[in-house]
Amino acid sequence: MADLNSLVVFAHVVEANSFSGAARVLKMPTSTVSRRIAELEDQLGVRLIERSTRRLRLTDAGSEVLEHARRMVELSDAVDNAASNLLSHVSGTLRLASPPSISDTLLAPIVGAFQEAYPEVRAHIFITDRIVDHVSEGVDLTVRVGDLEDSSLVARRILKYRHQLVASPAYMKKHKPPRNPKDLLQHKLLAFSFWKPKCQWNFIHVNGKDREALTFQPYFSMNDYAGLATALLAGVGIGDLPPVVEPSLLRDGRLVEIMPKWKFRNFDLSLVHAGNRHMPRVVRVFKDFAAKMAPQLFPRLPV
């Protein structure tokens, strides 16, 4: 598939009849413009421009692609204008649903900053662990971890991370550090769980090849990561935490990562909604706002 941004660059190169002229219009280095054209030609598998020291000449394939590239420029300009209109005035009520563990570290800061930028927006937030029905419950956006089961929903990823296996320094002073997943069975294990008698952790070694699954009976389980963080901090045992839950605990050394060469798989944290048709302006703007702010709140997530 052709890169749409590269098509825009290609159209500007033809319009300016030079790489340097296009670079000035696009406000990017000439080397970047040249590289984008080369990448586009590699993607399409055809030569678009014949280059010489004095001028550029379109190939037959380039002439055909140019028509589509010019449409992409028009579309890009239309999108920029639409975005500008969206940001000119935002008001209304925003209805959000989120799991409890990230309500204070992620959702509250984003919503607070959004309302500061757009003071005419009201926010109603529903904190729950269950999957909500967007239509029947009147929810605009939900914060969801993992893959979508309902194909009619639309998701926009705002963060990507892996859980970390952690314990308190006090607990580790009293117990032998585990070197591999099976060693964990000699420890008291804490896990996120909904009343299940057994839990399973799936590990991948940093070499990318070795994998192990550990099935265990948790010593302490809870369906709230914030509560698990408190128990881990108290030295109850070893457990897994998402890095978006109480991130200061690891940053300040009150919890430490255990067995760092064995990792959990990555998760996507997404904003989910029922569809793009007739989406209220306030929802569209918030979705973009959250997608930009979330990585700023968590700039160095483990993956």
Side-chain angles (χ1 to χ4, degrees):
M1 178 180 293
D3 179 65
L4 301 184
N5 290 324
S6 294
L7 284 171
V8 173
V9 173
F10 171 63
H12 280 287
V13 168
V14 176
E15 183 70 23
N17 197 32
S18 74
F19 287 86
S20 58
R24 286 191 294 271
V25 173
L26 296 169
K27 297 180 180 180
M28 63 174 60
T30 303
S31 60
T32 301
V33 172
S34 180
R35 176 174 55 80
R36 296 297 289 271
I37 298 303
E39 290 174 350
L40 180 61
E41 290 177 327
D42 289 341
Q43 290 170 349
L44 297 177
V46 294
R47 191 77 165 174
L48 300 175
I49 299 175
E50 296 291 350
R51 303 154 174 83
S52 69
T53 56
R54 294 186 177 181
R55 61 189 299 272
L56 304 177
R57 185 182 68 83
L58 279 177
T59 64
D60 291 341
S63 297
E64 187 172 345
V65 171
L66 177 61
E67 180 181 350
H68 301 287
R70 283 173 171 162
R71 291 176 185 170
M72 287 307 308
V73 173
E74 295 175 358
L75 180 59
S76 178
D77 291 341
V79 170
D80 288 341
N81 291 334
S84 178
N85 292 335
L86 278 174
L87 294 174
S88 61
H89 182 76
V90 180
S91 62
T93 300
L94 187 66
R95 299 171 179 85
L96 306 171
S98 169
S101 299
I102 59 171
S103 60
D104 58 338
T105 58
L106 180 73
L107 192 58
I110 291 177
V111 172
F114 185 73
Q115 287 186 301
E116 184 175 353
Y118 305 103
E120 295 184 36
V121 173
R122 297 177 181 272
H124 295 170
I125 303 173
F126 178 43
I127 303 299
T128 178
D129 270 324
R130 67 175 175 82
I131 303 299
V132 302
D133 187 310
H134 290 78
V135 177
S136 65
E137 298 185 60
V139 175
D140 297 314
L141 291 167
T142 60
V143 182
R144 186 84 64 85
V145 178
D147 300 328
L148 292 182
E149 295 182 1
D150 188 341
S151 60
S152 67
L153 298 176
V154 179
R156 179 170 181 176
R157 187 178 73 188
I158 60 174
L159 291 175
K160 182 177 183 178
Y161 57 81
R162 64 173 174 84
H163 289 207
Q164 292 169 286
L165 199 64
V166 299
S168 71
Y171 177 86
M172 295 312 301
K173 285 181 181 179
K174 299 177 182 178
H175 300 84
K176 183 179 179 180
R179 295 182 179 275
N180 57 67
K182 291 181 180 179
D183 291 345
L184 290 171
L185 295 176
Q186 308 302 317
H187 292 265
K188 294 178 179 177
L189 302 181
L190 288 68
F192 183 97
S193 177
F194 291 96
W195 293 102
K196 293 183 179 179
K198 290 187 178 181
C199 296
Q200 181 171 295
W201 286 335
N202 296 296
F203 294 94
I204 304 174
H205 195 269
V206 291
N207 62 21
K209 299 178 181 179
D210 298 331
R211 299 169 183 264
E212 286 198 28
L214 185 75
T215 301
F216 61 94
Q217 290 183 316
Y219 178 75
F220 179 98
S221 66
M222 181 183 290
N223 64 329
D224 178 43
Y225 278 113
L228 284 175
T230 300
L232 288 163
L233 192 61
V236 175
I238 297 175
D240 72 304
L241 278 183
V244 293
V245 176
E246 302 291 345
S248 63
L249 295 180
L250 272 101
R251 187 170 57 244
D252 298 341
R254 288 179 286 169
L255 291 178
V256 293
E257 186 172 9
I258 306 302
M259 219 170 58
K261 291 186 177 182
W262 288 93
K263 301 178 180 294
F264 294 108
R265 71 179 182 90
N266 290 326
F267 286 94
D268 289 342
L269 184 72
S270 305
L271 289 176
V272 179
H273 55 90
N276 285 313
R277 291 192 62 190
H278 311 302
M279 180 182 290
R281 176 178 297 180
V282 62
V283 179
R284 290 186 183 275
V285 177
F286 178 80
K287 188 171 66 168
D288 292 338
F289 187 93
K292 292 179 181 179
M293 184 173 175
Q296 296 173 9
L297 290 173
F298 300 95
R300 291 179 295 275
L301 288 173
V303 291

